[in-house]
Amino acid sequence: MKVLKFGGTSLGSIESLSQVKDILEKKNEEIIVVCSAMSGVTNQLVSIVEDVKNNNTIRIKEYLYNLEGKHIDVIHSLIVDNEVKEKLKKEISNMIKEISELTKQQYSESLKSKIITYGEALLTQIFSEYLNVSGVPNTLLKAKDFMLVDSIDKPNIEKVSDTLKSVLEHLPKSEVYITQGFICRDENGIITDLKRGGSDYSATIIGAAIDAEEIEIWTDIDGLHNNDPRYVNNTESVPYLSYAEASKLAHFGAKILHPKTVLPLAGKDIPVILKNTFMPSKTGTVISSDAYTKGVKAISGKDKITIVKIEPKVALGGHGFLKEIFEIFDKHKTSIGVVITSEESISLTIDDTSNLVEIVNEIEVHAEVNIDSLNTIICIVGNSIIDDEKTHKIFDILKHIPVKMISLGKNDNNVSVVIDTESKVEALKYLQEKLFLQEKAFA
Ligand code: ADP
Ligand code: ASP
Ligand code: MG
């Protein structure tokens, strides 16, 4: 069995929905299709939640009216049969009413998840029916019935597997199952979400749960490129990446993949293939346990990085100091990214600053603390990076851009540099030229 995931960019228009149908039509095997919401819809639902917080009932009504209209337009364009059309329109209107009822409740994190995950439900309701009437018979599964992940950081694959198997056993056999990405339940059975872009993660959780033969992630670009195409021209698709390489790139800003996408696949050998919905013949990127080649492969950048510089009141060197500092971050559930220590100070990066005030207050008992926000981590990724002849060129960047921290990552598969976000685009372009384009020009 295979899992295929289609992102919002593949489901955003009538043309793309029909393109996805064409891709599914050609599959002659059992598949579970994980769908995001139509592009833009989750953003609108997030705005509705903001308006719930601000009690802006008039704007909520406007948003809901637009959302209903958008999906009804899709029904009119895709479905010919009047009876099917009317049935679907009623189902969509009912869902919009459900969202409207939710917006009358008091704001809570769970209410937020319930509202923002409706985009997937709206789309799959229409898409499943469209496929049924277009020669791709399928069964619609409710992800909230089996995505019992317990914890987002450590999904309970066994529980999802058992529940999904039991759901499937109670349904008539089908070649194609359609379900929603993004939504899940926590250990208390409360609806939650897998964070923005989380349908990629839904696909790999489901893939791991059913021991899929392969997971295909279909999007609007032919695989993971060697640099961020939103900022850099002349980027190219990387044919092969290991789980570790892909995970680093996703964690450090490659938007094509949710940061936790490969997490459920640890210890399993299920390949993830990134494919372009609009150019299905392109090979894309294969992510597996094998890196295939060595050396620099791709560059990504992650913004909103804060550097915390800690200078102890007494000189460093006494044992136990680092442990105390790390325990403070741990206590406040704040993950540390890059760490550099010298005899005089420790510099470390964090991306979640929600508990920073408490953290600083506690560290200040032992040390002086300096906070530097609005930084970007540029991550250059590739298996055995230090053995690559090209790697030294990364450091040429020092001649042009003020670099605040440099680190060689675990497993010798990445070099990270921390710079001002202002210099991010310049740095990405510079590295593209040095590491990939110059090389090609001389080839
Ligand atoms: P989907 O809606 O399919 O989930 P996303 O917008 O989440 O699509 O991801 C695809 C986008 O990721 C691409 O259109 C591209 O702009 C962006 N992106 C950022 N970094 C990379 C990269 N290194 N390689 C490919 N795409 C990238
Ligand atoms: N629809 C959700 C989002 O926009 C999940 C996803 O697209 O993966 O974040
Ligand atoms: Mg995405």
Side-chain angles (χ1 to χ4, degrees):
M1 208 174 193
K2 288 186 183 170
V3 176
L4 275 70
K5 177 258 168 175
F6 292 88
T9 53
S10 301
L11 304 165
S13 66
I14 306 305
E15 295 71 33
S16 49
L17 286 165
S18 122
Q19 179 70 21
V20 174
K21 186 222 23 160
D22 290 348
I23 292 168
L24 297 179
E25 227 167 21
K26 295 194 182 88
K27 297 273 173 195
N28 275 321
E29 59 213 316
E30 265 192 284
I31 52 176
I32 298 188
V33 182
V34 178
C35 297
S36 303
M38 293 183 78
S39 70
V41 166
T42 312
N43 285 347
Q44 285 182 33
L45 291 163
V46 168
S47 303
I48 289 179
V49 173
E50 284 308 307
D51 286 337
V52 169
K53 276 187 192 162
N54 303 329
N55 245 325
N56 194 339
T57 45
I58 297 181
R59 220 169 41 199
I60 292 175
K61 270 204 183 114
E62 259 172 50
Y63 273 126
L64 288 176
Y65 178 79
N66 290 338
L67 218 50
E68 182 166 6
K70 185 180 175 96
H71 288 89
I72 301 274
D73 283 352
V74 174
I75 296 172
H76 279 293
S77 307
L78 289 180
I79 310 285
V80 182
D81 186 300
N82 266 334
E83 217 173 290
V84 180
K85 226 184 229 177
E86 287 314 309
K87 182 188 90 146
L88 266 180
K89 276 163 70 177
K90 210 175 263 164
E91 283 164 355
I92 293 304
S93 296
N94 284 341
M95 283 190 195
I96 296 289
K97 273 190 204 113
E98 285 166 17
I99 308 175
S100 173
E101 284 308 310
L102 288 170
T103 63
K104 292 174 188 153
Q105 294 181 19
Q106 189 81 27
Y107 174 83
S108 69
E109 282 295 307
S110 160
L111 182 75
K112 175 182 174 187
S113 292
K114 277 186 193 152
I115 294 177
I116 68 173
T117 52
Y118 254 94
E120 278 69 13
L122 288 162
L123 182 274
T124 50
Q125 196 70 33
I126 302 171
F127 192 51
S128 161
E129 197 63 66
Y130 163 59
L131 291 174
N132 271 328
V133 296
S134 317
V136 187
N138 68 90
T139 302
L140 183 60
L141 303 176
K142 280 196 179 130
K144 60 183 173 187
D145 289 348
F146 63 86
M147 285 295 280
L148 314 182
V149 305
D150 287 3
S151 142
I152 296 175
D153 293 324
K154 247 181 158 187
N156 191 337
I157 301 296
E158 228 170 274
K159 195 165 169 186
V160 175
S161 173
D162 291 346
T163 324
L164 177 55
K165 274 181 198 143
S166 136
V167 167
L168 293 179
E169 268 164 22
H170 289 91
L171 285 170
K173 213 162 169 43
S174 174
E175 270 225 323
V176 181
Y177 296 95
I178 307 288
T179 196
Q180 307 80 30
F182 194 35
I183 193 167
C184 66
R185 288 185 192 270
D186 68 12
E187 66 273 31
N188 301 313
I190 310 254
I191 294 285
T192 181
D193 63 81
L194 294 169
K195 305 278 181 277
R196 296 304 306 270
S199 300
D200 300 326
Y201 195 22
S202 301
T204 50
I205 292 173
I206 295 171
I210 60 164
D211 263 318
E213 185 189 324
E214 171 179 302
I215 298 161
E216 296 175 8
I217 295 185
W218 291 81
T219 182
D220 64 348
I221 188 163
D222 57 333
L224 196 143
H225 278 214
N226 58 5
N227 205 325
D228 195 323
R230 293 169 298 178
Y231 307 109
V232 179
N233 295 325
N234 300 317
T235 61
E236 279 184 1
S237 172
V238 181
Y240 296 100
L241 287 168
S242 68
Y243 292 139
E245 290 169 331
S247 162
K248 268 279 164 307
L249 289 160
H251 186 75
F252 286 107
K255 183 181 178 252
I256 185 168
L257 283 183
H258 181 281
K260 295 193 200 299
T261 305
V262 298
L263 184 79
L265 307 177
K268 308 222 170 214
D269 211 356
I270 305 174
V272 178
I273 307 179
L274 308 182
K275 296 277 289 175
N276 188 342
T277 301
F278 308 100
M279 284 190 256
S281 60
K282 292 249 182 186
T283 45
T285 300
V286 179
I287 304 168
S288 69
S289 50
D290 200 335
Y292 287 101
T293 54
K294 289 185 174 182
V296 174
K297 287 190 184 164
I299 306 161
S300 61
K302 182 175 181 179
D303 299 335
K304 297 193 181 140
I305 297 295
T306 298
I307 301 175
V308 183
K309 191 168 178 194
I310 302 163
E311 293 184 27
K313 288 177 182 159
V314 287
L316 258 177
H319 64 84
F321 182 74
L322 281 177
K323 181 170 169 262
E324 272 174 43
I325 298 296
F326 289 148
E327 273 172 1
I328 295 172
F329 282 88
D330 192 46
K331 187 170 123 195
H332 292 285
K333 295 191 169 43
T334 301
S335 305
I336 295 170
V338 179
V339 185
I340 309 280
T341 66
S342 72
E343 265 159 38
E344 298 82 32
S345 67
I346 310 165
S347 291
L348 47 85
T349 64
I350 57 171
D351 52 14
D352 174 7
T353 51
S354 42
N355 295 320
L356 188 56
V357 174
E358 292 85 343
I359 291 172
V360 171
N361 285 342
E362 287 192 39
I363 300 177
E364 274 178 341
V365 176
H366 313 273
E368 296 212 349
V369 186
N370 205 304
I371 301 298
D372 175 5
S373 41
L374 293 184
N375 294 290
T376 292
I377 296 184
I378 304 282
C379 194
I380 303 104
V381 173
N383 173 39
S384 299
I385 198 164
I386 223 67
D387 299 330
D388 188 339
E389 282 177 10
K390 278 192 297 207
T391 295
H392 73 93
K393 294 187 191 170
I394 296 171
F395 300 98
D396 286 353
I397 198 175
L398 292 167
K399 292 188 220 158
H400 307 273
I401 290 165
V403 171
K404 299 178 177 180
M405 295 166 76
I406 300 186
S407 112
L408 174 66
K410 185 175 146 240
N411 301 332
D412 180 22
N413 82 358
N414 72 95
V415 173
S416 301
V417 295
V418 185
I419 58 172
D420 256 336
T421 299
E422 266 185 1
S423 310
K424 168 185 167 172
V425 176
E426 191 189 347
L428 290 176
K429 286 183 173 164
Y430 180 84
L431 289 168
Q432 184 72 5
E433 184 65 35
K434 279 274 165 185
L435 296 174
F436 302 119
L437 300 178
Q438 275 183 6
E439 173 112 335
K440 259 182 114 180
F442 291 121

